[in-house]
Amino acid sequence: GLLPQEMLVPSGLIIPENLKGIIGNLNIDVKNEDIIKQTVKESFEEFLTDKNKIGLQNLIPQLKGKKVYISTNYSKNIQVLDPAKSSPEYSLAQRSIPINIELVNDGKFMLVTSYQRPYIDVISIADSRYIKQIALGTNPDEIVIDDENKLAYITAPSASVIIVLDLKTMSIRQKIRVNGYCEKLLIAGDKIFYVDKMKGAVWAIETNNNYTLKNIGKFPNASALMFANDKLYVASRTKSRLAIIDYNSLGLDSEFTVANKPVSMLMNNGIIYLLSAQNNVIQCFDSNTGNMIKEIELVPNGFSSRMSRIYGTNFAVVADVKTNSYSIIDLNRGVLLKTYYVNIPLKDVKITDSVSLFD
């Protein structure tokens, strides 16, 4: 039979009482430095422009059973909140201020890139613990998830490399050499798009064509990309313009003015959602025609900087850095469901289901 000492178990695993009679009370090493849950509350009051106390906020059904993770430029720690609450329940201690946080593998793990750290950290959401630190050999930046193929793409702009991480094994699968300082990464089927920040050029990588690089053209201050029906949508933050490029001919299909300072795009059921920061509005475009079909107004006098899909859903969360709020968008209906205010000078917001060790 299998002896307890022959079992390979994760550090810190807690054996339920009803199982100890079967497998014994295993002596499992707990590495305190891996446990990153911090219950001591941080105060961000000096960084908040609005000092007024936030009152009770109603919980919408779409956020029941979920947790909210907020990164900020004013702390290394990732703040963890119950939905509709304005203050953190606890935080996840980090070694440096996070650049990007992304949830993976059914929301059970979080990937974190941080400033001046040549690693990507893997956090177990269930027990608030570092489970792996993956050495990259260079400082990473953005993380983009290909959930269908269980891959994460991580930009390393200073090294002109995109690192591909296998989410099943949490190990590096390959490194893709690119031209220039890569950012604004987009994964679209067998194509990878990015912007060379230094030269203002947009590039495509054809993964099914021996990773051939294709120069799409130069675009001033390209801030967001989207690809649909062989058309590449390129938003310019400073020009407040949206260009639609035919991928095969590289010809300009159309170009037009959009709301001020476009910063992010998502697509759902053929509709492209374009977030513009200064006007604090989301414009919705039909990817079949390129025509705008509606606008979703966000918080008045806000400045929203990031928009991302809530893991495993057709909802999106929009982070407003000016009003310290996050808004929930129903992507199927194209409507704003609710805006929540927090006592944190937020940078990015991610939302996923609450998980436990035995889920």
PDB file of all heavy atoms in Angstrom, residues 41-57 70 72 74 79 81 84-88 323-326 340-346:
ATOM      1  N   LYS A  41      -4.626  46.103   7.390  1.00  0.00           N
ATOM      2  CA  LYS A  41      -5.176  46.994   6.363  1.00  0.00           C
ATOM      3  C   LYS A  41      -4.216  48.139   6.072  1.00  0.00           C
ATOM      4  O   LYS A  41      -3.592  48.693   6.977  1.00  0.00           O
ATOM      5  CB  LYS A  41      -6.530  47.558   6.813  1.00  0.00           C
ATOM      6  CG  LYS A  41      -7.578  46.502   7.150  1.00  0.00           C
ATOM      7  CD  LYS A  41      -7.985  45.684   5.945  1.00  0.00           C
ATOM      8  CE  LYS A  41      -9.237  44.857   6.208  1.00  0.00           C
ATOM      9  NZ  LYS A  41      -9.133  43.916   7.307  1.00  0.00           N
ATOM     10  N   GLU A  42      -4.092  48.478   4.788  1.00  0.00           N
ATOM     11  CA  GLU A  42      -3.307  49.634   4.378  1.00  0.00           C
ATOM     12  C   GLU A  42      -4.230  50.843   4.216  1.00  0.00           C
ATOM     13  O   GLU A  42      -5.373  50.703   3.800  1.00  0.00           O
ATOM     14  CB  GLU A  42      -2.611  49.361   3.041  1.00  0.00           C
ATOM     15  CG  GLU A  42      -1.602  48.243   3.084  1.00  0.00           C
ATOM     16  CD  GLU A  42      -0.968  48.016   1.721  1.00  0.00           C
ATOM     17  OE1 GLU A  42      -0.067  48.772   1.335  1.00  0.00           O
ATOM     18  OE2 GLU A  42      -1.413  47.076   1.035  1.00  0.00           O
ATOM     19  N   SER A  43      -3.709  52.018   4.547  1.00  0.00           N
ATOM     20  CA  SER A  43      -4.487  53.237   4.374  1.00  0.00           C
ATOM     21  C   SER A  43      -3.995  53.977   3.134  1.00  0.00           C
ATOM     22  O   SER A  43      -2.800  54.229   2.978  1.00  0.00           O
ATOM     23  CB  SER A  43      -4.347  54.141   5.600  1.00  0.00           C
ATOM     24  OG  SER A  43      -4.998  55.376   5.374  1.00  0.00           O
ATOM     25  N   PHE A  44      -4.951  54.322   2.273  1.00  0.00           N
ATOM     26  CA  PHE A  44      -4.623  55.057   1.049  1.00  0.00           C
ATOM     27  C   PHE A  44      -5.231  56.464   1.069  1.00  0.00           C
ATOM     28  O   PHE A  44      -5.289  57.128   0.047  1.00  0.00           O
ATOM     29  CB  PHE A  44      -5.146  54.295  -0.170  1.00  0.00           C
ATOM     30  CG  PHE A  44      -4.517  52.940  -0.355  1.00  0.00           C
ATOM     31  CD1 PHE A  44      -5.187  51.794   0.026  1.00  0.00           C
ATOM     32  CD2 PHE A  44      -3.251  52.823  -0.917  1.00  0.00           C
ATOM     33  CE1 PHE A  44      -4.604  50.542  -0.156  1.00  0.00           C
ATOM     34  CE2 PHE A  44      -2.659  51.576  -1.094  1.00  0.00           C
ATOM     35  CZ  PHE A  44      -3.343  50.436  -0.709  1.00  0.00           C
ATOM     36  N   GLU A  45      -5.662  56.899   2.243  1.00  0.00           N
ATOM     37  CA  GLU A  45      -6.410  58.150   2.336  1.00  0.00           C
ATOM     38  C   GLU A  45      -5.639  59.339   1.765  1.00  0.00           C
ATOM     39  O   GLU A  45      -6.213  60.204   1.102  1.00  0.00           O
ATOM     40  CB  GLU A  45      -6.791  58.427   3.789  1.00  0.00           C
ATOM     41  CG  GLU A  45      -7.700  59.637   3.949  1.00  0.00           C
ATOM     42  CD  GLU A  45      -8.214  59.805   5.362  1.00  0.00           C
ATOM     43  OE1 GLU A  45      -8.025  58.881   6.175  1.00  0.00           O
ATOM     44  OE2 GLU A  45      -8.798  60.861   5.644  1.00  0.00           O
ATOM     45  N   GLU A  46      -4.320  59.390   2.014  1.00  0.00           N
ATOM     46  CA  GLU A  46      -3.534  60.535   1.538  1.00  0.00           C
ATOM     47  C   GLU A  46      -3.446  60.589   0.017  1.00  0.00           C
ATOM     48  O   GLU A  46      -3.135  61.636  -0.559  1.00  0.00           O
ATOM     49  CB  GLU A  46      -2.126  60.492   2.126  1.00  0.00           C
ATOM     50  CG  GLU A  46      -1.308  59.271   1.695  1.00  0.00           C
ATOM     51  CD  GLU A  46       0.086  59.279   2.293  1.00  0.00           C
ATOM     52  OE1 GLU A  46       0.827  60.247   2.027  1.00  0.00           O
ATOM     53  OE2 GLU A  46       0.418  58.317   3.022  1.00  0.00           O
ATOM     54  N   PHE A  47      -3.751  59.482  -0.657  1.00  0.00           N
ATOM     55  CA  PHE A  47      -3.668  59.441  -2.117  1.00  0.00           C
ATOM     56  C   PHE A  47      -5.029  59.640  -2.788  1.00  0.00           C
ATOM     57  O   PHE A  47      -5.115  59.686  -4.018  1.00  0.00           O
ATOM     58  CB  PHE A  47      -3.078  58.105  -2.584  1.00  0.00           C
ATOM     59  CG  PHE A  47      -1.743  57.792  -1.965  1.00  0.00           C
ATOM     60  CD1 PHE A  47      -1.597  56.714  -1.101  1.00  0.00           C
ATOM     61  CD2 PHE A  47      -0.639  58.585  -2.234  1.00  0.00           C
ATOM     62  CE1 PHE A  47      -0.370  56.424  -0.525  1.00  0.00           C
ATOM     63  CE2 PHE A  47       0.594  58.296  -1.655  1.00  0.00           C
ATOM     64  CZ  PHE A  47       0.734  57.214  -0.799  1.00  0.00           C
ATOM     65  N   LEU A  48      -6.090  59.719  -1.998  1.00  0.00           N
ATOM     66  CA  LEU A  48      -7.436  59.839  -2.549  1.00  0.00           C
ATOM     67  C   LEU A  48      -7.838  61.296  -2.680  1.00  0.00           C
ATOM     68  O   LEU A  48      -7.656  62.088  -1.748  1.00  0.00           O
ATOM     69  CB  LEU A  48      -8.438  59.099  -1.664  1.00  0.00           C
ATOM     70  CG  LEU A  48      -8.205  57.586  -1.483  1.00  0.00           C
ATOM     71  CD1 LEU A  48      -9.191  57.022  -0.473  1.00  0.00           C
ATOM     72  CD2 LEU A  48      -8.332  56.859  -2.809  1.00  0.00           C
ATOM     73  N   THR A  49      -8.377  61.650  -3.836  1.00  0.00           N
ATOM     74  CA  THR A  49      -8.824  63.029  -4.045  1.00  0.00           C
ATOM     75  C   THR A  49     -10.164  63.285  -3.376  1.00  0.00           C
ATOM     76  O   THR A  49     -10.445  64.387  -2.918  1.00  0.00           O
ATOM     77  CB  THR A  49      -8.943  63.338  -5.548  1.00  0.00           C
ATOM     78  OG1 THR A  49      -9.802  62.361  -6.154  1.00  0.00           O
ATOM     79  CG2 THR A  49      -7.582  63.281  -6.218  1.00  0.00           C
ATOM     80  N   ASP A  50     -10.996  62.258  -3.301  1.00  0.00           N
ATOM     81  CA  ASP A  50     -12.301  62.372  -2.654  1.00  0.00           C
ATOM     82  C   ASP A  50     -12.227  61.687  -1.292  1.00  0.00           C
ATOM     83  O   ASP A  50     -12.099  60.477  -1.196  1.00  0.00           O
ATOM     84  CB  ASP A  50     -13.389  61.730  -3.515  1.00  0.00           C
ATOM     85  CG  ASP A  50     -14.793  61.956  -2.962  1.00  0.00           C
ATOM     86  OD1 ASP A  50     -14.906  62.537  -1.863  1.00  0.00           O
ATOM     87  OD2 ASP A  50     -15.760  61.573  -3.636  1.00  0.00           O
ATOM     88  N   LYS A  51     -12.302  62.491  -0.204  1.00  0.00           N
ATOM     89  CA  LYS A  51     -12.165  61.948   1.147  1.00  0.00           C
ATOM     90  C   LYS A  51     -13.503  61.521   1.747  1.00  0.00           C
ATOM     91  O   LYS A  51     -13.567  61.022   2.871  1.00  0.00           O
ATOM     92  CB  LYS A  51     -11.526  63.001   2.072  1.00  0.00           C
ATOM     93  CG  LYS A  51     -10.258  63.627   1.540  1.00  0.00           C
ATOM     94  CD  LYS A  51      -9.114  62.638   1.430  1.00  0.00           C
ATOM     95  CE  LYS A  51      -7.829  63.356   0.990  1.00  0.00           C
ATOM     96  NZ  LYS A  51      -6.702  62.430   0.807  1.00  0.00           N
ATOM     97  N   ASN A  52     -14.594  61.738   1.008  1.00  0.00           N
ATOM     98  CA  ASN A  52     -15.915  61.407   1.534  1.00  0.00           C
ATOM     99  C   ASN A  52     -16.061  59.900   1.725  1.00  0.00           C
ATOM    100  O   ASN A  52     -15.606  59.103   0.897  1.00  0.00           O
ATOM    101  CB  ASN A  52     -17.010  61.914   0.595  1.00  0.00           C
ATOM    102  CG  ASN A  52     -17.044  63.432   0.538  1.00  0.00           C
ATOM    103  OD1 ASN A  52     -16.782  64.097   1.533  1.00  0.00           O
ATOM    104  ND2 ASN A  52     -17.356  63.976  -0.634  1.00  0.00           N
ATOM    105  N   LYS A  53     -16.699  59.526   2.816  1.00  0.00           N
ATOM    106  CA  LYS A  53     -16.899  58.115   3.120  1.00  0.00           C
ATOM    107  C   LYS A  53     -17.869  57.502   2.126  1.00  0.00           C
ATOM    108  O   LYS A  53     -18.910  58.089   1.814  1.00  0.00           O
ATOM    109  CB  LYS A  53     -17.415  57.960   4.544  1.00  0.00           C
ATOM    110  CG  LYS A  53     -17.523  56.504   4.997  1.00  0.00           C
ATOM    111  CD  LYS A  53     -17.958  56.410   6.452  1.00  0.00           C
ATOM    112  CE  LYS A  53     -18.043  54.962   6.895  1.00  0.00           C
ATOM    113  NZ  LYS A  53     -18.486  54.854   8.310  1.00  0.00           N
ATOM    114  N   ILE A  54     -17.528  56.326   1.636  1.00  0.00           N
ATOM    115  CA  ILE A  54     -18.392  55.632   0.681  1.00  0.00           C
ATOM    116  C   ILE A  54     -19.439  54.842   1.447  1.00  0.00           C
ATOM    117  O   ILE A  54     -19.124  54.055   2.338  1.00  0.00           O
ATOM    118  CB  ILE A  54     -17.559  54.698  -0.219  1.00  0.00           C
ATOM    119  CG1 ILE A  54     -16.531  55.516  -1.004  1.00  0.00           C
ATOM    120  CG2 ILE A  54     -18.457  53.906  -1.155  1.00  0.00           C
ATOM    121  CD1 ILE A  54     -15.517  54.677  -1.729  1.00  0.00           C
ATOM    122  N   GLY A  55     -20.682  55.046   1.094  1.00  0.00           N
ATOM    123  CA  GLY A  55     -21.775  54.375   1.781  1.00  0.00           C
ATOM    124  C   GLY A  55     -21.991  52.958   1.283  1.00  0.00           C
ATOM    125  O   GLY A  55     -21.198  52.415   0.516  1.00  0.00           O
ATOM    126  N   LEU A  56     -23.080  52.360   1.732  1.00  0.00           N
ATOM    127  CA  LEU A  56     -23.421  50.991   1.351  1.00  0.00           C
ATOM    128  C   LEU A  56     -23.714  50.918  -0.144  1.00  0.00           C
ATOM    129  O   LEU A  56     -24.413  51.763  -0.699  1.00  0.00           O
ATOM    130  CB  LEU A  56     -24.634  50.524   2.145  1.00  0.00           C
ATOM    131  CG  LEU A  56     -25.100  49.087   1.898  1.00  0.00           C
ATOM    132  CD1 LEU A  56     -24.047  48.101   2.377  1.00  0.00           C
ATOM    133  CD2 LEU A  56     -26.432  48.844   2.619  1.00  0.00           C
ATOM    134  N   GLN A  57     -23.159  49.906  -0.805  1.00  0.00           N
ATOM    135  CA  GLN A  57     -23.359  49.716  -2.237  1.00  0.00           C
ATOM    136  C   GLN A  57     -24.037  48.364  -2.459  1.00  0.00           C
ATOM    137  O   GLN A  57     -23.588  47.346  -1.924  1.00  0.00           O
ATOM    138  CB  GLN A  57     -22.022  49.785  -2.984  1.00  0.00           C
ATOM    139  CG  GLN A  57     -21.281  51.099  -2.752  1.00  0.00           C
ATOM    140  CD  GLN A  57     -19.940  51.142  -3.459  1.00  0.00           C
ATOM    141  OE1 GLN A  57     -19.793  51.736  -4.507  1.00  0.00           O
ATOM    142  NE2 GLN A  57     -18.946  50.506  -2.871  1.00  0.00           N
ATOM    143  N   ILE A  70      -7.499  44.189  -6.919  1.00  0.00           N
ATOM    144  CA  ILE A  70      -7.147  45.528  -7.389  1.00  0.00           C
ATOM    145  C   ILE A  70      -5.651  45.773  -7.209  1.00  0.00           C
ATOM    146  O   ILE A  70      -5.108  45.577  -6.111  1.00  0.00           O
ATOM    147  CB  ILE A  70      -7.948  46.605  -6.629  1.00  0.00           C
ATOM    148  CG1 ILE A  70      -9.434  46.470  -6.944  1.00  0.00           C
ATOM    149  CG2 ILE A  70      -7.449  47.998  -6.968  1.00  0.00           C
ATOM    150  CD1 ILE A  70     -10.316  47.472  -6.204  1.00  0.00           C
ATOM    151  N   THR A  72      -2.565  48.734  -7.545  1.00  0.00           N
ATOM    152  CA  THR A  72      -2.436  50.172  -7.423  1.00  0.00           C
ATOM    153  C   THR A  72      -0.971  50.561  -7.550  1.00  0.00           C
ATOM    154  O   THR A  72      -0.083  49.754  -7.268  1.00  0.00           O
ATOM    155  CB  THR A  72      -2.997  50.664  -6.076  1.00  0.00           C
ATOM    156  OG1 THR A  72      -2.680  52.049  -5.885  1.00  0.00           O
ATOM    157  CG2 THR A  72      -2.428  49.874  -4.913  1.00  0.00           C
ATOM    158  N   TYR A  74       0.366  52.688  -5.659  1.00  0.00           N
ATOM    159  CA  TYR A  74       0.747  53.217  -4.355  1.00  0.00           C
ATOM    160  C   TYR A  74       1.041  52.125  -3.333  1.00  0.00           C
ATOM    161  O   TYR A  74       1.216  52.408  -2.154  1.00  0.00           O
ATOM    162  CB  TYR A  74      -0.348  54.151  -3.832  1.00  0.00           C
ATOM    163  CG  TYR A  74      -0.545  55.349  -4.716  1.00  0.00           C
ATOM    164  CD1 TYR A  74      -1.488  55.327  -5.751  1.00  0.00           C
ATOM    165  CD2 TYR A  74       0.216  56.493  -4.563  1.00  0.00           C
ATOM    166  CE1 TYR A  74      -1.671  56.424  -6.581  1.00  0.00           C
ATOM    167  CE2 TYR A  74       0.050  57.598  -5.384  1.00  0.00           C
ATOM    168  CZ  TYR A  74      -0.904  57.546  -6.395  1.00  0.00           C
ATOM    169  OH  TYR A  74      -1.069  58.632  -7.219  1.00  0.00           O
ATOM    170  N   GLN A  79      -4.800  44.300  -3.595  1.00  0.00           N
ATOM    171  CA  GLN A  79      -5.898  44.403  -2.638  1.00  0.00           C
ATOM    172  C   GLN A  79      -7.037  43.465  -3.041  1.00  0.00           C
ATOM    173  O   GLN A  79      -7.390  43.381  -4.215  1.00  0.00           O
ATOM    174  CB  GLN A  79      -6.396  45.841  -2.576  1.00  0.00           C
ATOM    175  CG  GLN A  79      -5.297  46.875  -2.365  1.00  0.00           C
ATOM    176  CD  GLN A  79      -4.549  46.687  -1.063  1.00  0.00           C
ATOM    177  OE1 GLN A  79      -5.158  46.459  -0.013  1.00  0.00           O
ATOM    178  NE2 GLN A  79      -3.222  46.790  -1.113  1.00  0.00           N
ATOM    179  N   LEU A  81     -11.015  42.383  -2.362  1.00  0.00           N
ATOM    180  CA  LEU A  81     -12.278  42.897  -1.831  1.00  0.00           C
ATOM    181  C   LEU A  81     -13.422  41.944  -2.143  1.00  0.00           C
ATOM    182  O   LEU A  81     -13.393  41.226  -3.142  1.00  0.00           O
ATOM    183  CB  LEU A  81     -12.633  44.255  -2.443  1.00  0.00           C
ATOM    184  CG  LEU A  81     -11.793  45.482  -2.160  1.00  0.00           C
ATOM    185  CD1 LEU A  81     -10.521  45.482  -2.991  1.00  0.00           C
ATOM    186  CD2 LEU A  81     -12.595  46.742  -2.446  1.00  0.00           C
ATOM    187  N   ALA A  84     -18.916  44.990  -4.074  1.00  0.00           N
ATOM    188  CA  ALA A  84     -19.762  46.017  -3.458  1.00  0.00           C
ATOM    189  C   ALA A  84     -19.167  46.602  -2.185  1.00  0.00           C
ATOM    190  O   ALA A  84     -19.717  47.537  -1.620  1.00  0.00           O
ATOM    191  CB  ALA A  84     -21.174  45.505  -3.181  1.00  0.00           C
ATOM    192  N   LYS A  85     -18.043  46.065  -1.717  1.00  0.00           N
ATOM    193  CA  LYS A  85     -17.357  46.633  -0.555  1.00  0.00           C
ATOM    194  C   LYS A  85     -16.345  47.671  -1.040  1.00  0.00           C
ATOM    195  O   LYS A  85     -15.728  47.515  -2.087  1.00  0.00           O
ATOM    196  CB  LYS A  85     -16.661  45.543   0.251  1.00  0.00           C
ATOM    197  CG  LYS A  85     -17.607  44.508   0.845  1.00  0.00           C
ATOM    198  CD  LYS A  85     -18.496  45.109   1.914  1.00  0.00           C
ATOM    199  CE  LYS A  85     -19.432  44.077   2.527  1.00  0.00           C
ATOM    200  NZ  LYS A  85     -18.719  43.022   3.251  1.00  0.00           N
ATOM    201  N   SER A  86     -16.144  48.718  -0.244  1.00  0.00           N
ATOM    202  CA  SER A  86     -15.260  49.804  -0.651  1.00  0.00           C
ATOM    203  C   SER A  86     -13.837  49.652  -0.128  1.00  0.00           C
ATOM    204  O   SER A  86     -12.913  50.278  -0.638  1.00  0.00           O
ATOM    205  CB  SER A  86     -15.830  51.147  -0.186  1.00  0.00           C
ATOM    206  OG  SER A  86     -15.976  51.161   1.221  1.00  0.00           O
ATOM    207  N   SER A  87     -13.663  48.820   0.894  1.00  0.00           N
ATOM    208  CA  SER A  87     -12.339  48.638   1.499  1.00  0.00           C
ATOM    209  C   SER A  87     -11.917  47.178   1.401  1.00  0.00           C
ATOM    210  O   SER A  87     -12.763  46.272   1.417  1.00  0.00           O
ATOM    211  CB  SER A  87     -12.352  49.075   2.963  1.00  0.00           C
ATOM    212  OG  SER A  87     -12.647  50.456   3.061  1.00  0.00           O
ATOM    213  N   PRO A  88     -10.603  46.917   1.324  1.00  0.00           N
ATOM    214  CA  PRO A  88     -10.115  45.541   1.162  1.00  0.00           C
ATOM    215  C   PRO A  88     -10.409  44.657   2.368  1.00  0.00           C
ATOM    216  O   PRO A  88     -10.425  45.129   3.509  1.00  0.00           O
ATOM    217  CB  PRO A  88      -8.595  45.724   0.986  1.00  0.00           C
ATOM    218  CG  PRO A  88      -8.412  47.153   0.599  1.00  0.00           C
ATOM    219  CD  PRO A  88      -9.520  47.906   1.261  1.00  0.00           C
ATOM    220  N   THR A 323     -11.888  58.520 -10.516  1.00  0.00           N
ATOM    221  CA  THR A 323     -12.937  58.446  -9.492  1.00  0.00           C
ATOM    222  C   THR A 323     -12.752  57.232  -8.570  1.00  0.00           C
ATOM    223  O   THR A 323     -13.564  57.024  -7.669  1.00  0.00           O
ATOM    224  CB  THR A 323     -14.327  58.362 -10.141  1.00  0.00           C
ATOM    225  OG1 THR A 323     -14.417  57.150 -10.907  1.00  0.00           O
ATOM    226  CG2 THR A 323     -14.577  59.552 -11.053  1.00  0.00           C
ATOM    227  N   ASN A 324     -11.678  56.438  -8.790  1.00  0.00           N
ATOM    228  CA  ASN A 324     -11.423  55.234  -7.995  1.00  0.00           C
ATOM    229  C   ASN A 324     -12.657  54.343  -7.940  1.00  0.00           C
ATOM    230  O   ASN A 324     -13.200  54.032  -6.874  1.00  0.00           O
ATOM    231  CB  ASN A 324     -10.959  55.595  -6.577  1.00  0.00           C
ATOM    232  CG  ASN A 324      -9.665  56.379  -6.591  1.00  0.00           C
ATOM    233  OD1 ASN A 324      -8.731  56.016  -7.287  1.00  0.00           O
ATOM    234  ND2 ASN A 324      -9.611  57.465  -5.848  1.00  0.00           N
ATOM    235  N   SER A 325     -13.097  53.973  -9.128  1.00  0.00           N
ATOM    236  CA  SER A 325     -14.289  53.139  -9.245  1.00  0.00           C
ATOM    237  C   SER A 325     -14.078  52.087 -10.314  1.00  0.00           C
ATOM    238  O   SER A 325     -13.171  52.187 -11.147  1.00  0.00           O
ATOM    239  CB  SER A 325     -15.512  53.994  -9.595  1.00  0.00           C
ATOM    240  OG  SER A 325     -15.370  54.559 -10.884  1.00  0.00           O
ATOM    241  N   TYR A 326     -14.909  51.057 -10.278  1.00  0.00           N
ATOM    242  CA  TYR A 326     -14.924  50.080 -11.363  1.00  0.00           C
ATOM    243  C   TYR A 326     -16.369  49.831 -11.781  1.00  0.00           C
ATOM    244  O   TYR A 326     -17.279  49.796 -10.952  1.00  0.00           O
ATOM    245  CB  TYR A 326     -14.200  48.781 -10.980  1.00  0.00           C
ATOM    246  CG  TYR A 326     -14.798  47.996  -9.848  1.00  0.00           C
ATOM    247  CD1 TYR A 326     -15.752  47.001 -10.072  1.00  0.00           C
ATOM    248  CD2 TYR A 326     -14.395  48.222  -8.529  1.00  0.00           C
ATOM    249  CE1 TYR A 326     -16.284  46.261  -9.035  1.00  0.00           C
ATOM    250  CE2 TYR A 326     -14.930  47.499  -7.480  1.00  0.00           C
ATOM    251  CZ  TYR A 326     -15.870  46.514  -7.729  1.00  0.00           C
ATOM    252  OH  TYR A 326     -16.403  45.788  -6.693  1.00  0.00           O
ATOM    253  N   TYR A 340     -19.055  50.664  -8.940  1.00  0.00           N
ATOM    254  CA  TYR A 340     -18.697  50.563  -7.526  1.00  0.00           C
ATOM    255  C   TYR A 340     -17.492  51.452  -7.233  1.00  0.00           C
ATOM    256  O   TYR A 340     -16.535  51.501  -8.009  1.00  0.00           O
ATOM    257  CB  TYR A 340     -18.362  49.112  -7.155  1.00  0.00           C
ATOM    258  CG  TYR A 340     -19.554  48.189  -7.208  1.00  0.00           C
ATOM    259  CD1 TYR A 340     -19.734  47.320  -8.277  1.00  0.00           C
ATOM    260  CD2 TYR A 340     -20.496  48.178  -6.182  1.00  0.00           C
ATOM    261  CE1 TYR A 340     -20.841  46.475  -8.327  1.00  0.00           C
ATOM    262  CE2 TYR A 340     -21.595  47.341  -6.228  1.00  0.00           C
ATOM    263  CZ  TYR A 340     -21.762  46.484  -7.299  1.00  0.00           C
ATOM    264  OH  TYR A 340     -22.855  45.670  -7.346  1.00  0.00           O
ATOM    265  N   TYR A 341     -17.539  52.116  -6.077  1.00  0.00           N
ATOM    266  CA  TYR A 341     -16.457  52.996  -5.654  1.00  0.00           C
ATOM    267  C   TYR A 341     -15.658  52.327  -4.537  1.00  0.00           C
ATOM    268  O   TYR A 341     -16.222  51.626  -3.686  1.00  0.00           O
ATOM    269  CB  TYR A 341     -17.025  54.338  -5.176  1.00  0.00           C
ATOM    270  CG  TYR A 341     -17.702  55.109  -6.288  1.00  0.00           C
ATOM    271  CD1 TYR A 341     -19.040  54.868  -6.598  1.00  0.00           C
ATOM    272  CD2 TYR A 341     -16.999  56.045  -7.041  1.00  0.00           C
ATOM    273  CE1 TYR A 341     -19.670  55.556  -7.631  1.00  0.00           C
ATOM    274  CE2 TYR A 341     -17.628  56.739  -8.074  1.00  0.00           C
ATOM    275  CZ  TYR A 341     -18.959  56.490  -8.358  1.00  0.00           C
ATOM    276  OH  TYR A 341     -19.577  57.169  -9.387  1.00  0.00           O
ATOM    277  N   VAL A 342     -14.346  52.557  -4.546  1.00  0.00           N
ATOM    278  CA  VAL A 342     -13.475  51.936  -3.551  1.00  0.00           C
ATOM    279  C   VAL A 342     -12.558  52.983  -2.924  1.00  0.00           C
ATOM    280  O   VAL A 342     -12.313  54.049  -3.499  1.00  0.00           O
ATOM    281  CB  VAL A 342     -12.623  50.803  -4.176  1.00  0.00           C
ATOM    282  CG1 VAL A 342     -13.508  49.660  -4.649  1.00  0.00           C
ATOM    283  CG2 VAL A 342     -11.769  51.317  -5.338  1.00  0.00           C
ATOM    284  N   ASN A 343     -12.044  52.644  -1.737  1.00  0.00           N
ATOM    285  CA  ASN A 343     -11.118  53.527  -1.031  1.00  0.00           C
ATOM    286  C   ASN A 343      -9.672  53.193  -1.387  1.00  0.00           C
ATOM    287  O   ASN A 343      -8.794  53.143  -0.525  1.00  0.00           O
ATOM    288  CB  ASN A 343     -11.326  53.389   0.486  1.00  0.00           C
ATOM    289  CG  ASN A 343     -12.689  53.889   0.923  1.00  0.00           C
ATOM    290  OD1 ASN A 343     -13.136  54.940   0.481  1.00  0.00           O
ATOM    291  ND2 ASN A 343     -13.361  53.125   1.776  1.00  0.00           N
ATOM    292  N   ILE A 344      -9.449  52.969  -2.664  1.00  0.00           N
ATOM    293  CA  ILE A 344      -8.127  52.584  -3.160  1.00  0.00           C
ATOM    294  C   ILE A 344      -7.845  53.367  -4.441  1.00  0.00           C
ATOM    295  O   ILE A 344      -8.719  53.424  -5.314  1.00  0.00           O
ATOM    296  CB  ILE A 344      -8.065  51.065  -3.487  1.00  0.00           C
ATOM    297  CG1 ILE A 344      -8.496  50.225  -2.285  1.00  0.00           C
ATOM    298  CG2 ILE A 344      -6.673  50.661  -3.950  1.00  0.00           C
ATOM    299  CD1 ILE A 344      -8.756  48.778  -2.629  1.00  0.00           C
ATOM    300  N   PRO A 345      -6.679  53.979  -4.561  1.00  0.00           N
ATOM    301  CA  PRO A 345      -6.319  54.626  -5.827  1.00  0.00           C
ATOM    302  C   PRO A 345      -5.950  53.559  -6.853  1.00  0.00           C
ATOM    303  O   PRO A 345      -4.788  53.236  -7.070  1.00  0.00           O
ATOM    304  CB  PRO A 345      -5.119  55.501  -5.450  1.00  0.00           C
ATOM    305  CG  PRO A 345      -4.501  54.805  -4.285  1.00  0.00           C
ATOM    306  CD  PRO A 345      -5.628  54.132  -3.541  1.00  0.00           C
ATOM    307  N   LEU A 346      -6.960  53.005  -7.512  1.00  0.00           N
ATOM    308  CA  LEU A 346      -6.752  51.791  -8.303  1.00  0.00           C
ATOM    309  C   LEU A 346      -6.044  52.036  -9.645  1.00  0.00           C
ATOM    310  O   LEU A 346      -6.067  53.143 -10.189  1.00  0.00           O
ATOM    311  CB  LEU A 346      -8.079  51.068  -8.530  1.00  0.00           C
ATOM    312  CG  LEU A 346      -9.250  51.825  -9.186  1.00  0.00           C
ATOM    313  CD1 LEU A 346      -9.084  51.902 -10.681  1.00  0.00           C
ATOM    314  CD2 LEU A 346     -10.562  51.170  -8.827  1.00  0.00           C
TER     315      LEU A 346
END
